[in-house]
DNA sequence: CCTATACTTCGCCAAGTAACGAAGTAAAGG
DNA sequence: CCTTTACTTCGTTACTTGGCGAAGTATAGG
């Protein structure tokens, strides 16, 4: 029951659902999620922590960056089933689609910065 | 998104999850749910209203009684998928099993009262 | 080292929520 | 009618939660 409620509570806030879905097409670091959502770093950090403790996202530290990705959707765990359900239920949400475009921009920005680095060297 | 959040919020409270699962084996009237949960009528009434507005339970009035039952689990709606997921995730929960026994008692009590009526006539 | 960047922790505040009991509505039975 | 029973609505209280900014930690780069 505890883990079930951790999941439903994690999914019961719109901001948190949006944060989770930004990871639909691959991992992002916290600052990228922050930029997409347009909220304070402390706020987003807390949201990601809640999603992580619910088992819905996995985290990976690399240097200064915390990367987040959706937990394996194919598993048999409670969280995996919840993810499958949520992804299906939110398939056509406008807010999610809007965020997806913003995620795309944030990824491109990364690449531009990378190429800027190459040009500078 | 609104309906998704209505569902996750409805499922994010332990009491409400217990209330929903008391209906697993068929409909009950509010006073039976009240007895199983051991909470104030006003509290349980509100919980059932939230479950109903989320589309997770259906209601039916008969005389003085409000009967509740789980929404059709076989449908293609968001709520139906949520129900399938919740039922699967909570299959082995102790709290739910305990409530199921209490539900059983409450149903028997009904039958005793019914038979008492028959004997009295 | 010192600074900058990425993130976390803490304390605060406003808004939301679960519980209760009291009072109100509605239906059934004297 | 009047009472009882089943339920709902309302107001209150205690607690939780989402947001923020300020301060703290950690890592990379001069």
């Amino acid at each position: 029951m505890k883990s079930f409620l951790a999941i439903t509570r994690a999914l019961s806030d719109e901001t948190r659902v949006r944060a989770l879905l930004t990871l639909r097409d691959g991992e992002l670091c916290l600052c990228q999620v922050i930029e997409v959502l347009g909220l304070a770093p402390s706020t987003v950090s807390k949201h990601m922590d809640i999603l992580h403790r619910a088992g819905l996202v996995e985290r990976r530290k690399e240097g200064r960056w915390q990367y987040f990705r959706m937990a394996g959707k194919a598993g048999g765990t409670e969280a995996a089933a919840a993810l499958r359900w949520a992804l299906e239920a939110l398939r056509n949400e406008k807010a999610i689609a809007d965020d997806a475009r913003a995620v795309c921009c944030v990824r491109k920005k990364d690449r531009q910065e990378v190429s800027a680095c190459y040009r500078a060297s």
Side-chain angles (χ1 to χ4, degrees), chain A:
Chain A
M1 177 67 92
K2 255 185 78 183
S3 60
F4 178 84
L5 289 175
I7 292 170
T8 52
R9 278 201 264 261
L11 295 174
S12 71
D13 175 77
E14 173 158 13
T15 301
R16 218 144 43 214
V17 171
R18 287 176 56 208
L20 174 64
L21 271 282
T22 60
L23 308 176
R24 193 168 39 175
D25 297 323
E27 73 178 7
L28 294 175
C29 73
L30 187 66
C31 61
Q32 294 177 306
V33 181
I34 287 167
E35 192 165 337
V36 172
L37 298 182
L39 292 172
S42 58
T43 303
V44 180
S45 178
K46 213 168 85 179
H47 281 314
M48 298 312 285
D49 192 51
I50 290 170
L51 288 168
H52 178 244
R53 286 206 306 266
L56 295 168
V57 312
E58 291 161 6
R59 61 199 312 167
R60 166 176 83 83
K61 184 161 192 180
E62 185 181 322
R64 278 175 283 188
W65 295 277
Q66 273 286 348
Y67 285 96
F68 294 93
R69 64 182 178 287
M70 279 195 186
K73 298 161 220 164
T77 67
E78 230 165 336
L83 270 179
R84 283 194 300 273
W85 167 62
L87 284 168
E88 172 61 24
L90 297 165
R91 213 165 19 134
N92 297 315
E93 276 301 326
K94 183 178 180 323
I96 302 300
D98 291 348
D99 287 341
R101 272 188 290 279
V103 167
C104 202
C105 289
V106 165
R107 286 190 198 280
K108 270 186 204 145
K109 196 186 274 186
D110 247 9
R111 266 190 242 120
Q112 284 168 356
E113 279 162 16
V114 167
S115 54
C117 286
Y118 277 120
R119 279 196 302 278
S121 65

